Coordinates of all heavy atoms in Angstrom, one line a residue:
M1 N 126.4 77.6 80.9 CA 124.9 77.2 81.1 C 124.7 77.1 82.7 O 125.6 76.5 83.4 CB 124.5 76.0 80.4 CG 123.0 75.8 80.3 SD 122.5 74.7 79.0 CE 122.2 73.3 79.9
D2 N 123.7 77.8 83.2 CA 123.4 77.7 84.6 C 123.0 76.2 85.0 O 122.3 75.5 84.2 CB 122.3 78.6 85.0 CG 122.8 80.1 84.8 OD1 123.9 80.3 84.9 OD2 121.9 80.9 84.7
D3 N 123.4 75.8 86.2 CA 122.9 74.6 86.7 C 121.5 74.8 87.2 O 121.2 75.8 87.8 CB 123.8 74.1 88.0 CG 124.9 73.3 87.5 OD1 124.9 72.8 86.3 OD2 125.8 73.1 88.3
Y4 N 120.6 73.9 86.9 CA 119.2 74.0 87.4 C 118.8 72.6 87.9 O 118.8 71.7 87.1 CB 118.3 74.5 86.3 CG 116.9 74.5 86.8 CD1 116.4 75.5 87.7 CD2 115.9 73.6 86.4 CE1 115.1 75.6 88.2 CE2 114.6 73.6 86.9 CZ 114.3 74.5 87.8 OH 113.0 74.6 88.2
T5 N 118.6 72.6 89.1 CA 118.0 71.3 89.7 C 116.6 71.4 90.0 O 116.1 72.4 90.7 CB 118.7 71.0 91.1 OG1 120.2 71.0 90.8 CG2 118.3 69.6 91.6
E6 N 115.8 70.6 89.4 CA 114.3 70.7 89.6 C 113.9 70.4 91.0 O 114.5 69.5 91.6 CB 113.7 69.7 88.6 CG 112.1 69.9 88.6 CD 111.5 69.3 87.4 OE1 112.2 69.0 86.4 OE2 110.3 69.1 87.4
V7 N 113.1 71.2 91.5 CA 112.6 71.1 92.9 C 111.3 70.3 92.9 O 110.4 70.6 92.2 CB 112.4 72.5 93.5 CG1 111.9 72.3 95.0 CG2 113.7 73.3 93.5
S8 N 111.2 69.3 93.7 CA 110.0 68.5 93.7 C 108.9 69.3 94.4 O 109.1 70.2 95.2 CB 110.2 67.2 94.5 OG 110.3 67.5 95.9
F9 N 107.7 68.9 94.1 CA 106.5 69.6 94.7 C 106.6 69.6 96.2 O 106.4 70.5 96.9 CB 105.2 69.0 94.1 CG 104.0 69.7 94.7 CD1 103.6 70.9 94.2 CD2 103.2 69.1 95.7 CE1 102.5 71.5 94.7 CE2 102.1 69.7 96.2 CZ 101.7 70.9 95.7
E10 N 107.0 68.4 96.7 CA 107.0 68.2 98.2 C 108.1 69.1 98.8 O 107.9 69.7 99.8 CB 107.3 66.7 98.5 CG 106.2 65.8 98.3 CD 106.0 65.5 96.8 OE1 106.9 65.7 96.0 OE2 104.9 65.1 96.4
D11 N 109.2 69.2 98.1 CA 110.4 70.1 98.7 C 109.9 71.5 98.6 O 110.2 72.3 99.5 CB 111.6 69.9 97.9 CG 112.3 68.6 98.2 OD1 111.9 68.0 99.2 OD2 113.2 68.2 97.5
R12 N 109.2 71.9 97.5 CA 108.7 73.3 97.4 C 107.7 73.6 98.5 O 107.9 74.6 99.2 CB 108.0 73.4 96.0 CG 107.8 74.8 95.7 CD 107.0 74.9 94.4 NE 107.6 74.2 93.3 CZ 106.9 73.8 92.2 NH1 105.6 73.9 92.1 NH2 107.5 73.1 91.3
M13 N 106.8 72.7 98.8 CA 105.9 73.0 99.8 C 106.4 73.0 101.2 O 105.9 73.6 102.1 CB 104.7 71.9 99.8 CG 103.9 72.0 98.4 SD 103.2 73.6 98.1 CE 101.8 73.7 99.2
S14 N 107.6 72.3 101.4 CA 108.2 72.2 102.7 C 108.9 73.6 103.0 O 109.3 73.7 104.2 CB 109.2 71.0 102.8 OG 110.4 71.3 102.1
T15 N 109.0 74.5 102.1 CA 109.7 75.8 102.5 C 108.7 76.8 102.9 O 109.0 78.0 103.1 CB 110.3 76.3 101.2 OG1 109.4 76.6 100.2 CG2 111.4 75.2 100.6
V16 N 107.4 76.4 103.0 CA 106.4 77.5 103.3 C 105.5 77.0 104.4 O 105.3 75.8 104.7 CB 105.5 77.9 102.1 CG1 106.4 78.6 101.0 CG2 104.8 76.6 101.5
D17 N 104.9 78.0 105.1 CA 103.8 77.7 106.1 C 102.7 78.6 105.7 O 102.8 79.6 105.0 CB 104.3 78.3 107.5 CG 105.3 77.3 108.1 OD1 105.2 76.1 107.9 OD2 106.3 77.8 108.7
F18 N 101.5 78.2 106.0 CA 100.3 78.9 105.7 C 99.5 79.1 107.0 O 99.2 78.3 107.8 CB 99.4 78.1 104.7 CG 100.1 77.7 103.4 CD1 100.7 76.6 103.2 CD2 100.1 78.7 102.4 CE1 101.3 76.3 102.0 CE2 100.7 78.4 101.2 CZ 101.3 77.2 101.0
Q19 N 99.1 80.4 107.1 CA 98.1 80.8 108.1 C 96.8 81.0 107.3 O 96.6 82.0 106.7 CB 98.5 82.1 108.8 CG 97.6 82.5 109.9 CD 97.6 81.6 111.1 OE1 98.6 81.2 111.6 NE2 96.4 81.3 111.6
V20 N 96.0 80.0 107.4 CA 94.8 80.0 106.5 C 93.7 81.0 107.0 O 93.3 81.0 108.2 CB 94.1 78.6 106.4 CG1 92.9 78.6 105.5 CG2 95.1 77.6 105.8
S21 N 93.3 81.9 106.0 CA 92.3 82.9 106.4 C 91.0 82.3 106.2 O 90.7 81.5 105.3 CB 92.5 84.1 105.4 OG 91.4 85.0 105.6
P22 N 90.0 82.7 107.0 CA 88.6 82.3 106.8 C 88.0 82.9 105.5 O 87.0 82.3 105.0 CB 87.8 82.8 108.0 CG 88.7 83.9 108.6 CD 90.1 83.5 108.2
R23 N 88.6 83.9 104.9 CA 88.2 84.6 103.8 C 89.0 84.1 102.6 O 90.3 84.2 102.6 CB 88.2 86.1 103.9 CG 87.8 86.9 102.7 CD 87.9 88.4 102.8 NE 89.4 88.7 102.8 CZ 90.1 89.0 101.7 NH1 89.5 88.9 100.5 NH2 91.4 89.3 101.8
A24 N 88.4 83.6 101.5 CA 89.1 83.3 100.3 C 89.6 84.6 99.6 O 88.9 85.5 99.3 CB 88.2 82.6 99.3
H25 N 90.9 84.7 99.5 CA 91.6 85.9 98.9 C 91.5 85.8 97.3 O 91.8 86.8 96.7 CB 93.0 86.1 99.4 CG 94.0 85.1 99.0 ND1 93.9 83.8 99.5 CD2 95.0 85.1 98.1 CE1 95.0 83.1 99.0 NE2 95.5 83.9 98.1
I26 N 91.3 84.6 96.9 CA 91.1 84.4 95.4 C 89.8 83.7 95.2 O 89.6 82.6 95.8 CB 92.2 83.6 94.7 CG1 93.6 84.3 95.0 CG2 92.0 83.4 93.3 CD1 94.8 83.6 94.5
V27 N 89.0 84.2 94.2 CA 87.8 83.5 93.9 C 87.8 83.3 92.4 O 88.1 84.2 91.6 CB 86.5 84.4 94.3 CG1 85.2 83.7 93.8 CG2 86.5 84.6 95.8
V28 N 87.5 82.0 92.0 CA 87.5 81.7 90.6 C 86.0 81.4 90.1 O 85.3 80.6 90.7 CB 88.3 80.4 90.3 CG1 88.3 80.1 88.9 CG2 89.7 80.7 90.8
D29 N 85.7 82.1 89.0 CA 84.3 81.9 88.4 C 84.4 80.8 87.5 O 84.8 80.9 86.3 CB 83.9 83.2 87.8 CG 82.5 83.1 87.2 OD1 81.9 81.9 87.1 OD2 81.9 84.1 86.8
S30 N 84.0 79.6 87.9 CA 84.1 78.3 87.1 C 83.3 78.5 85.9 O 83.6 77.8 84.8 CB 83.7 77.2 87.9 OG 84.1 76.0 87.3
A31 N 82.2 79.2 85.8 CA 81.4 79.4 84.6 C 82.2 80.0 83.5 O 82.1 79.6 82.3 CB 80.2 80.2 84.9
V32 N 83.1 80.9 83.8 CA 84.0 81.5 82.8 C 85.0 80.4 82.4 O 85.3 80.4 81.1 CB 84.7 82.8 83.4 CG1 85.7 83.3 82.4 CG2 83.7 83.8 83.8
C33 N 85.5 79.7 83.3 CA 86.5 78.7 82.9 C 86.0 77.7 81.9 O 86.8 77.2 81.1 CB 86.9 78.0 84.2 SG 87.7 79.0 85.4
R34 N 84.7 77.4 81.9 CA 84.1 76.4 81.0 C 84.4 76.9 79.5 O 84.3 76.0 78.7 CB 82.7 76.1 81.4 CG 82.6 75.1 82.5 CD 81.2 74.5 82.6 NE 80.3 75.5 83.2 CZ 80.1 75.6 84.5 NH1 80.9 74.9 85.3 NH2 79.3 76.6 85.0
S35 N 84.5 78.1 79.3 CA 84.7 78.6 77.9 C 86.1 79.0 77.6 O 86.4 79.5 76.6 CB 83.8 79.7 77.6 OG 84.0 80.8 78.5
C36 N 87.0 78.6 78.6 CA 88.4 79.0 78.4 C 89.1 77.9 77.6 O 89.0 76.7 78.0 CB 89.1 79.1 79.8 SG 90.8 79.4 79.8
T37 N 89.8 78.3 76.5 CA 90.4 77.3 75.7 C 91.8 76.9 76.1 O 92.3 75.8 75.7 CB 90.5 77.8 74.2 OG1 91.2 79.0 74.3 CG2 89.1 77.9 73.6
T38 N 92.4 77.6 77.0 CA 93.8 77.3 77.3 C 94.0 76.7 78.7 O 94.8 75.8 78.9 CB 94.7 78.6 77.3 OG1 94.2 79.5 78.3 CG2 94.7 79.2 75.9
Q39 N 93.2 77.2 79.7 CA 93.3 76.7 81.1 C 94.7 76.7 81.5 O 95.2 75.7 82.1 CB 92.6 75.4 81.2 CG 91.0 75.4 80.9 CD 90.2 74.5 81.6 OE1 90.6 73.3 81.9 NE2 88.9 74.8 81.8
E40 N 95.5 77.7 81.2 CA 96.9 77.8 81.5 C 97.1 77.8 83.0 O 98.2 77.4 83.5 CB 97.5 79.1 81.0 CG 97.5 79.2 79.5 CD 97.9 80.6 79.0 OE1 97.0 81.5 79.1 OE2 99.0 80.8 78.6
C41 N 96.1 78.2 83.8 CA 96.3 78.2 85.3 C 96.6 76.9 85.8 O 97.4 76.7 86.8 CB 95.1 78.9 85.9 SG 93.6 78.0 85.5
V42 N 96.1 75.8 85.2 CA 96.2 74.5 85.7 C 97.7 74.1 85.7 O 98.2 73.5 86.7 CB 95.5 73.5 84.8 CG1 95.7 72.0 85.3 CG2 94.0 73.9 84.9
T43 N 98.5 74.4 84.7 CA 99.9 74.0 84.7 C 100.8 75.1 85.3 O 101.9 74.8 85.7 CB 100.4 73.7 83.3 OG1 100.0 74.8 82.4 CG2 99.8 72.4 82.8
A44 N 100.3 76.3 85.3 CA 101.2 77.4 85.8 C 101.2 77.6 87.3 O 102.2 78.1 87.8 CB 100.8 78.7 85.1
C45 N 100.2 77.3 87.9 CA 100.1 77.5 89.4 C 101.2 76.6 90.1 O 101.1 75.4 90.0 CB 98.8 77.2 90.0 SG 98.7 77.3 91.8
P46 N 102.2 77.2 90.7 CA 103.2 76.4 91.4 C 102.7 75.6 92.6 O 103.4 74.6 93.0 CB 104.2 77.5 91.9 CG 103.4 78.7 92.0 CD 102.3 78.7 91.0
A47 N 101.5 75.9 93.1 CA 101.0 75.1 94.2 C 99.9 74.1 93.7 O 99.3 73.4 94.5 CB 100.4 76.1 95.2
D48 N 99.7 74.0 92.4 CA 98.8 73.0 91.8 C 97.4 73.2 92.4 O 96.7 72.2 92.9 CB 99.3 71.6 92.1 CG 100.4 71.2 91.2 OD1 100.6 71.9 90.2 OD2 101.0 70.1 91.4
L49 N 96.9 74.4 92.5 CA 95.6 74.6 93.1 C 94.4 74.7 92.2 O 93.3 74.8 92.6 CB 95.7 76.0 93.8 CG 96.7 76.0 95.0 CD1 96.7 77.4 95.6 CD2 96.4 74.9 96.0
F50 N 94.6 74.6 90.8 CA 93.6 74.6 89.8 C 93.4 73.2 89.3 O 94.3 72.7 88.6 CB 93.9 75.6 88.7 CG 93.9 77.0 89.1 CD1 95.1 77.5 89.8 CD2 92.9 77.8 88.9 CE1 95.1 78.9 90.2 CE2 92.8 79.2 89.2 CZ 94.0 79.7 89.9
V51 N 92.3 72.6 89.5 CA 92.0 71.3 89.0 C 90.8 71.3 88.1 O 89.7 71.8 88.4 CB 91.6 70.4 90.3 CG1 91.3 69.0 89.8 CG2 92.8 70.4 91.3
P52 N 91.0 70.8 86.9 CA 90.0 70.7 85.9 C 88.9 69.8 86.3 O 89.1 68.7 86.9 CB 90.6 70.2 84.6 CG 92.1 70.4 84.9 CD 92.3 70.3 86.3
T53 N 87.6 70.1 86.1 CA 86.5 69.2 86.4 C 85.9 68.6 85.1 O 86.2 69.1 84.0 CB 85.4 70.0 87.2 OG1 85.0 71.1 86.3 CG2 86.0 70.6 88.5
A54 N 85.1 67.5 85.3 CA 84.6 66.8 84.2 C 83.7 67.7 83.3 O 83.6 67.5 82.1 CB 83.8 65.6 84.7
D55 N 83.1 68.7 83.9 CA 82.2 69.6 83.1 C 82.9 70.7 82.4 O 82.3 71.7 81.8 CB 81.1 70.1 84.0 CG 81.5 71.1 85.0 OD1 82.7 71.2 85.1 OD2 80.7 71.7 85.7
G56 N 84.3 70.8 82.5 CA 85.1 71.7 81.8 C 85.4 72.9 82.6 O 86.0 73.9 82.2
G57 N 84.9 72.9 83.9 CA 85.2 74.0 84.7 C 86.5 73.8 85.6 O 87.3 73.0 85.2
I58 N 86.6 74.6 86.6 CA 87.8 74.5 87.4 C 87.4 74.4 88.9 O 86.5 75.2 89.3 CB 88.7 75.8 87.3 CG1 89.4 75.8 85.9 CG2 89.7 75.9 88.4 CD1 90.5 74.8 85.7
L59 N 88.0 73.5 89.6 CA 87.9 73.5 91.0 C 89.1 74.2 91.7 O 90.2 73.8 91.3 CB 87.8 72.0 91.5 CG 87.5 71.7 93.0 CD1 86.2 72.2 93.3 CD2 87.7 70.2 93.3
F60 N 88.9 75.1 92.5 CA 90.0 75.9 93.0 C 89.9 75.9 94.6 O 88.9 76.1 95.2 CB 90.0 77.4 92.5 CG 91.0 78.2 93.1 CD1 92.3 78.1 92.7 CD2 90.7 79.2 94.1 CE1 93.4 78.9 93.3 CE2 91.7 79.9 94.6 CZ 93.0 79.8 94.3
N61 N 91.2 75.8 95.2 CA 91.2 75.8 96.7 C 92.3 76.9 97.0 O 93.5 76.8 96.7 CB 91.6 74.5 97.2 CG 91.7 74.5 98.7 OD1 91.7 75.5 99.3 ND2 91.7 73.3 99.3
Y62 N 91.9 77.9 97.8 CA 92.9 79.0 98.0 C 93.8 78.8 99.1 O 94.8 79.6 99.4 CB 92.1 80.3 98.2 CG 91.4 80.3 99.7 CD1 92.1 80.8 100.8 CD2 90.1 79.7 99.9 CE1 91.4 80.8 102.0 CE2 89.5 79.7 101.1 CZ 90.2 80.2 102.2 OH 89.6 80.2 103.4
E63 N 93.6 77.7 99.9 CA 94.3 77.6 101.2 C 95.8 77.5 101.2 O 96.5 77.9 102.1 CB 93.7 76.4 102.0 CG 92.2 76.7 102.3 CD 91.6 75.6 103.1 OE1 92.3 74.5 103.4 OE2 90.4 75.7 103.5
Q64 N 96.4 76.9 100.1 CA 97.9 76.7 100.1 C 98.4 77.6 98.9 O 99.4 77.2 98.2 CB 98.2 75.3 99.9 CG 97.9 74.5 101.1 CD 98.4 73.1 101.1 OE1 98.3 72.4 100.1 NE2 98.9 72.6 102.2
C65 N 97.9 78.8 98.8 CA 98.4 79.7 97.8 C 99.6 80.5 98.1 O 99.8 81.0 99.2 CB 97.2 80.7 97.5 SG 97.6 82.1 96.4
F66 N 100.6 80.6 97.1 CA 101.9 81.3 97.4 C 101.7 82.8 97.2 O 102.7 83.4 97.4 CB 102.9 80.8 96.4 CG 103.3 79.3 96.6 CD1 103.7 78.5 95.6 CD2 103.5 78.8 97.9 CE1 104.2 77.2 95.7 CE2 103.9 77.5 98.1 CZ 104.2 76.7 97.0
E67 N 100.6 83.2 96.7 CA 100.3 84.7 96.5 C 101.3 85.2 95.4 O 101.7 86.4 95.5 CB 100.4 85.5 97.8 CG 99.4 85.0 98.8 CD 99.7 85.5 100.3 OE1 100.2 86.6 100.4 OE2 99.4 84.8 101.2
C68 N 101.6 84.4 94.4 CA 102.6 84.8 93.4 C 101.9 85.7 92.3 O 102.6 86.4 91.6 CB 103.3 83.6 92.7 SG 102.1 82.6 91.8
G69 N 100.6 85.6 92.1 CA 99.9 86.3 91.2 C 99.9 85.8 89.8 O 99.3 86.4 88.8
T70 N 100.6 84.7 89.5 CA 100.7 84.1 88.2 C 99.3 83.8 87.5 O 99.1 84.2 86.4 CB 101.5 82.8 88.2 OG1 102.7 83.0 88.8 CG2 101.7 82.2 86.8
C71 N 98.5 83.3 88.3 CA 97.1 82.8 87.8 C 96.3 84.1 87.4 O 95.7 84.2 86.3 CB 96.3 82.1 88.8 SG 96.1 83.0 90.4
Y72 N 96.5 85.2 88.1 CA 95.8 86.4 87.8 C 96.3 87.1 86.5 O 95.5 87.5 85.6 CB 95.9 87.4 88.9 CG 95.1 88.6 88.8 CD1 93.7 88.6 88.8 CD2 95.7 89.9 88.9 CE1 92.9 89.8 88.7 CE2 95.0 91.0 88.7 CZ 93.6 91.0 88.6 OH 92.8 92.1 88.5
L73 N 97.6 87.1 86.3 CA 98.2 87.6 85.1 C 97.8 86.8 83.9 O 97.5 87.3 82.8 CB 99.7 87.6 85.3 CG 100.3 88.7 86.2 CD1 101.8 88.4 86.3 CD2 99.9 90.0 85.6
L74 N 97.9 85.4 84.0 CA 97.5 84.6 82.9 C 96.1 84.6 82.5 O 95.7 84.7 81.3 CB 97.8 83.1 83.2 CG 99.3 82.7 83.2 CD1 99.4 81.2 83.7 CD2 99.8 82.8 81.8
C75 N 95.2 84.7 83.5 CA 93.7 84.7 83.2 C 93.4 86.0 82.5 O 92.6 86.1 81.6 CB 93.0 84.5 84.5 SG 91.2 84.2 84.2
G76 N 94.0 87.1 83.0 CA 93.9 88.4 82.3 C 92.4 88.8 82.0 O 91.6 88.9 82.8
K77 N 92.3 89.1 80.7 CA 91.0 89.6 80.2 C 89.8 88.6 80.3 O 88.7 89.0 80.2 CB 91.1 90.2 78.8 CG 91.9 91.4 78.7 CD 92.1 92.0 77.3 CE 93.0 93.2 77.3 NZ 93.4 93.5 75.9
Q78 N 90.1 87.4 80.5 CA 89.0 86.5 80.7 C 88.3 86.7 81.9 O 87.1 86.4 82.0 CB 89.6 85.0 80.6 CG 90.4 84.7 79.4 CD 90.6 83.2 79.2 OE1 89.8 82.5 78.9 NE2 91.8 82.9 79.4
G79 N 89.0 87.2 82.9 CA 88.2 87.8 84.1 C 87.6 86.8 85.0 O 86.7 87.1 85.8
A80 N 88.1 85.5 85.0 CA 87.5 84.5 85.9 C 88.0 84.7 87.3 O 87.4 84.2 88.3 CB 87.8 83.1 85.4
I81 N 89.1 85.4 87.5 CA 89.7 85.4 88.9 C 89.6 86.8 89.5 O 89.9 87.8 88.9 CB 91.3 85.1 88.7 CG1 91.4 83.6 88.2 CG2 92.0 85.3 90.1 CD1 92.8 83.2 88.0
S82 N 89.0 86.8 90.7 CA 89.1 87.9 91.6 C 90.2 87.7 92.6 O 90.3 86.7 93.3 CB 87.7 88.1 92.3 OG 86.7 88.1 91.4
W83 N 91.1 88.6 92.7 CA 92.4 88.4 93.4 C 92.6 89.5 94.4 O 92.6 90.7 94.0 CB 93.6 88.4 92.4 CG 94.8 87.6 92.8 CD1 95.1 86.4 92.3 CD2 95.8 88.0 93.7 NE1 96.3 86.0 92.8 CE2 96.8 86.9 93.7 CE3 96.1 89.1 94.5 CZ2 97.9 87.0 94.5 CZ3 97.2 89.2 95.3 CH2 98.1 88.1 95.3
T84 N 92.8 89.2 95.6 CA 93.3 90.2 96.7 C 94.4 89.4 97.5 O 94.4 88.3 97.5 CB 92.2 90.6 97.6 OG1 91.6 89.4 98.2 CG2 91.0 91.3 96.8
Y85 N 95.1 90.3 98.3 CA 95.9 89.6 99.3 C 95.1 89.2 100.5 O 94.0 89.8 100.7 CB 97.0 90.6 99.7 CG 98.1 90.7 98.8 CD1 98.3 91.9 98.0 CD2 99.0 89.6 98.6 CE1 99.3 92.0 97.1 CE2 100.1 89.8 97.6 CZ 100.3 91.0 96.9 OH 101.2 91.0 96.0
P86 N 95.6 88.2 101.2 CA 94.8 87.8 102.4 C 94.9 88.9 103.4 O 95.8 89.8 103.3 CB 95.6 86.6 102.9 CG 96.4 86.0 101.8 CD 96.7 87.3 100.9
D87 N 94.0 88.9 104.4 CA 94.1 89.9 105.4 C 95.4 89.8 106.2 O 96.0 88.7 106.3 CB 92.8 89.7 106.4 CG 91.5 89.8 105.5 OD1 91.5 90.6 104.6 OD2 90.6 89.1 105.9
G88 N 95.7 90.8 106.9 CA 97.0 90.9 107.6 C 97.3 89.8 108.5 O 96.4 89.4 109.3
G89 N 98.5 89.2 108.4 CA 98.8 88.1 109.2 C 98.4 86.7 108.6 O 99.0 85.7 109.1
D90 N 97.5 86.7 107.7 CA 97.1 85.5 107.1 C 97.9 85.2 105.8 O 98.5 86.1 105.2 CB 95.6 85.5 106.8 CG 94.8 85.4 108.0 OD1 95.3 85.0 109.1 OD2 93.6 85.8 108.0
G91 N 97.8 84.0 105.3 CA 98.5 83.6 104.0 C 99.7 82.9 104.2 O 100.1 82.3 105.2
V92 N 100.6 83.0 103.2 CA 101.9 82.3 103.1 C 103.0 83.0 103.9 O 103.1 84.2 104.0 CB 102.3 82.0 101.7 CG1 102.7 83.3 101.0 CG2 103.3 80.9 101.5
T93 N 103.8 82.1 104.4 CA 105.1 82.6 105.0 C 106.3 81.8 104.4 O 106.1 80.6 104.4 CB 105.2 82.4 106.5 OG1 104.1 83.1 107.1 CG2 106.5 83.0 107.1
F94 N 107.3 82.4 103.8 CA 108.4 81.7 103.2 C 109.5 81.5 104.2 O 109.9 82.5 104.8 CB 108.9 82.5 102.0 CG 107.9 82.5 100.9 CD1 107.0 83.6 100.8 CD2 107.8 81.5 99.9 CE1 106.0 83.6 99.8 CE2 106.8 81.5 98.9 CZ 106.0 82.6 98.8
R95 N 109.9 80.3 104.4 CA 110.9 80.0 105.4 C 112.3 80.2 104.8 O 112.5 79.9 103.6 CB 110.8 78.6 105.9 CG 109.6 78.4 106.8 CD 109.7 77.0 107.5 NE 108.4 76.3 107.2 CZ 108.4 75.0 107.1 NH1 109.5 74.3 107.1 NH2 107.2 74.4 106.9
Q96 N 113.3 80.5 105.6 CA 114.7 80.5 105.2 C 115.3 79.1 105.1 O 114.9 78.3 105.9 CB 115.5 81.4 106.2 CG 115.1 82.8 106.3 CD 115.4 83.6 105.1 OE1 116.5 83.5 104.6 NE2 114.6 84.6 104.8
G97 N 116.2 79.0 104.2 CA 117.0 77.7 104.0 C 116.2 76.5 103.9 O 115.8 75.6 104.3
Ligands
SF4_101 S1 91.0 80.7 85.8 FE1 91.2 81.9 83.9 S2 93.0 80.8 82.8 FE2 92.2 79.4 84.4 S3 90.6 78.2 83.3 FE3 89.6 79.8 84.3 S4 89.3 81.4 82.7 FE4 91.0 79.9 82.0
SF4_102 S1 98.6 83.3 93.2 FE1 100.2 81.8 92.5 S2 100.1 80.0 94.0 FE2 98.2 81.4 94.3 S3 96.7 80.3 93.1 FE3 97.6 81.9 91.8 S4 99.2 80.9 90.6 FE4 98.7 79.6 92.4

C-alpha cells in the first residue's frame, strides 16, 4: 500500500504564488447554484473557494484559484460556471520543493 501523508491546507497554499488578474477567469452564477442538490464544488475545490451562502447560493472568489478545472468538470451540465484561463502572466505559479 502506498504511503499517503495528508497535506494541510496551509502547506498546500505555501507551494503556490498568485499573480491576481483584474479579470475574473471563473464566474459562478449563484442563481443556478441555488437549485443545485449536490454543491460538490464546495468540498472538491482544493483551494476552498466555494462557500455556501444562507440563501442556498454560492459565494466564489477567483483570486487564489489553482486552475485545476475540477469545479468546471463537476458542475458540468448544470452550467453555473464560466471558465477560462487567466490572461498571460496572471494566475497561479507552482513552486518547486
Ligand atoms: S458551481 Fe455548479 S456544482 Fe457548485 S453549487 Fe453551483 S451549480 Fe452546483
Ligand atoms: S479551478 Fe480548481 S482551484 Fe480553481 S476554483 Fe475550480 S476547483 Fe477550485
Side-chain angles (χ1 to χ4, degrees):
M1 196 158 106
D2 292 337
D3 271 346
Y4 177 74
T5 306
E6 189 160 343
V7 179
S8 73
F9 182 75
E10 290 73 21
D11 284 348
R12 191 184 306 156
M13 295 307 280
S14 73
T15 65
V16 293
D17 288 319
F18 299 98
Q19 180 69 44
V20 177
S21 170
R23 180 184 69 84
H25 65 290
I26 297 175
V27 176
V28 179
D29 184 347
S30 191
V32 176
C33 300
R34 279 194 283 276
S35 60
C36 176
T37 55
T38 62
Q39 299 205 331
E40 293 169 284
C41 55
V42 174
T43 49
C45 173
D48 285 348
L49 298 177
F50 292 81
V51 178
T53 57
D55 67 354
I58 289 288
L59 185 65
F60 176 75
N61 183 346
Y62 72 94
E63 294 183 357
Q64 293 190 314
C65 169
F66 293 146
E67 300 163 34
C68 67
T70 304
C71 57
Y72 186 61
L73 288 173
L74 282 177
C75 191
K77 290 180 181 166
Q78 300 192 77
I81 294 179
S82 304
W83 207 104
T84 58
Y85 282 109
D87 300 326
D90 290 338
V92 70
T93 303
F94 295 90
R95 290 192 233 143
Q96 298 288 322

